[in-house]
Amino acid sequence: MKKITFLLVMLASVLAFSSCSHSETYADQLERENNAIHAFIVKKGINVISEEQFTKQGNTTDTTKNQYVLFSNTGVYMQIVEKGTGETIKKGETATVLCRFTERNLLRDTLQLSNQFLIFGAKVDKMSVTNTSGTYTASFDPSSSVMYDAYKSTSVPAGWLVPMPYVGIGRLTSAASKLSHVRLIIPSQQGHINATRAVYPSFFDLTFQRGL
């Protein structure tokens, strides 16, 4: 499984780097990234709303209108599909969070990585998340993380933590319980180590559940 994961990620990295000429500047790469994000927004018919409107709507996005809120300080776009059962991680608390995800490379518009399908489905990504006075930090558990297997880093992408103040991190305790579910467009500087190095944006579909 690890060999297949490694090959998939290496292929994506090679494709990303091969699209850059030797004379391309970092500004050129950022422009290409922004163009890829804009193209994805247009292709998917995404309705971008401001943080002000998001707040007025009770920190929710209307999925019937395909709304995504843009956080101007990070460049991350977020759609809350389901707020989920349970409470947010409290200030001063450290919680184990279990994640299911699918990642698309927006520069290539291709599926890049997932722990929801086939051979990867047996492993749920586990991360430890700490809320320090409203600032969230997190790390993957190397023994239970497809993200770690692929990218060889315990650092959780900063973009993954953007939803934390707005969604419940609970457990499925009854038929009425629901996992928090978000979709994120994450620019390279808020992404994982490969995205940052190759300067490509990612789209993540994520669910969160409180672990033991």
Side-chain angles (χ1 to χ4, degrees):
M1 182 179 77
K2 289 185 178 180
K3 288 183 178 179
I4 295 174
T5 305
F6 178 75
L7 288 173
L8 286 172
V9 175
M10 285 301 296
L11 176 60
S13 298
V14 168
L15 289 173
F17 278 115
S18 66
S19 65
C20 306
S21 70
H22 293 297
S23 61
E24 189 176 42
T25 66
Y26 182 59
D28 293 332
Q29 292 175 324
L30 289 178
E31 182 178 3
R32 185 186 60 200
E33 175 180 59
N34 289 334
N35 289 340
I37 291 173
H38 177 71
F40 182 77
I41 288 171
V42 172
K43 179 180 179 180
K44 296 298 182 180
I46 291 171
N47 176 18
V48 179
I49 64 172
S50 66
E51 293 175 71
E52 181 181 7
Q53 183 175 344
F54 177 66
T55 301
K56 288 180 179 178
Q57 293 178 181
N59 294 335
T60 62
T61 53
D62 188 341
T63 56
T64 66
K65 297 178 180 178
N66 202 20
Q67 289 182 343
Y68 280 64
V69 55
L70 169 61
F71 293 95
S72 57
N73 62 326
T74 61
V76 172
Y77 297 77
M78 177 181 71
Q79 181 181 72
I80 299 177
V81 181
E82 175 59 57
K83 275 187 170 286
T85 298
E87 299 180 345
T88 59
I89 298 172
K90 299 175 182 178
K91 290 182 180 180
E93 180 185 5
T94 296
T96 298
V97 179
L98 308 179
C99 313
R100 287 287 187 184
F101 74 91
T102 296
E103 175 191 9
R104 294 190 69 84
N105 180 326
L106 295 189
L107 206 58
R108 291 289 173 178
D109 194 20
T110 55
L111 176 67
Q112 181 151 308
L113 192 65
S114 178
N115 67 357
Q116 301 195 63
F117 309 115
L118 302 175
I119 58 174
F120 308 116
K123 182 176 285 190
V124 178
D125 275 54
K126 182 186 293 186
M127 61 184 186
S128 177
V129 182
T130 299
N131 179 352
T132 305
S133 300
T135 298
Y136 294 83
T137 54
S139 60
F140 289 116
D141 179 348
S143 67
S144 181
S145 173
V146 172
M147 287 286 285
Y148 175 81
D149 290 342
Y151 301 120
K152 303 305 177 187
S153 173
T154 59
S155 297
V156 173
W160 277 34
L161 303 178
V162 169
M164 289 298 160
Y166 310 108
V167 297
I169 307 297
R171 299 188 180 97
L172 298 179
T173 57
S174 70
S177 300
K178 295 181 179 180
L179 298 181
S180 54
H181 180 192
V182 299
R183 296 179 180 130
L184 302 169
I185 301 171
I186 301 179
S188 58
Q189 291 305 305
Q190 297 294 314
H192 52 67
I193 189 169
N194 278 34
T196 300
R197 287 175 177 172
V199 193
Y200 64 83
S202 304
F203 172 80
F204 281 95
D205 190 299
L206 286 153
T207 61
F208 299 120
Q209 178 179 356
R210 189 175 291 265
L212 299 176

